[in-house]
Amino acid sequence: MATATPPVYTATEPTVTAVVPLLYRVEEAAEALRVSRTQVYALIRCGALRTVKIGGSRRVPVAAVAEYVANLGAAA
């Protein structure tokens, strides 16, 4: 039986690393929640969805989206 030899990687081959976001733009949070951008702003205004401000930009922590969804399940 032949044994497979492991691939040899050289320094010239690029490596790919995935960057996991910690913050969403409002549009990305809307996409993650499958709602409109307007609905996300409404959730922010009523305090149902936490945000942070970085400079002049509003960002939604990924954890805040998960918390919001968890609270939806708890309220049902």
Side-chain angles (χ1 to χ4, degrees):
M1 203 179 253
T3 59
T5 59
V8 176
Y9 296 102
T10 63
T12 59
E13 294 179 21
T15 58
V16 178
T17 54
V19 176
V20 179
L22 298 176
L23 299 171
Y24 285 139
R25 294 186 320 255
V26 171
E27 293 79 9
E28 292 169 328
E31 188 176 327
L33 291 169
R34 303 296 192 260
V35 299
S36 70
R37 191 172 145 262
T38 303
Q39 182 64 34
V40 172
Y41 278 113
L43 292 170
I44 293 167
R45 272 193 303 278
C46 76
L49 189 59
R50 273 186 314 109
T51 63
V52 295
K53 201 128 188 227
I54 299 176
S57 301
R58 180 143 322 262
R59 297 289 187 252
V60 182
V62 172
V65 173
E67 290 166 12
Y68 171 73
V69 172
N71 288 339
L72 286 178

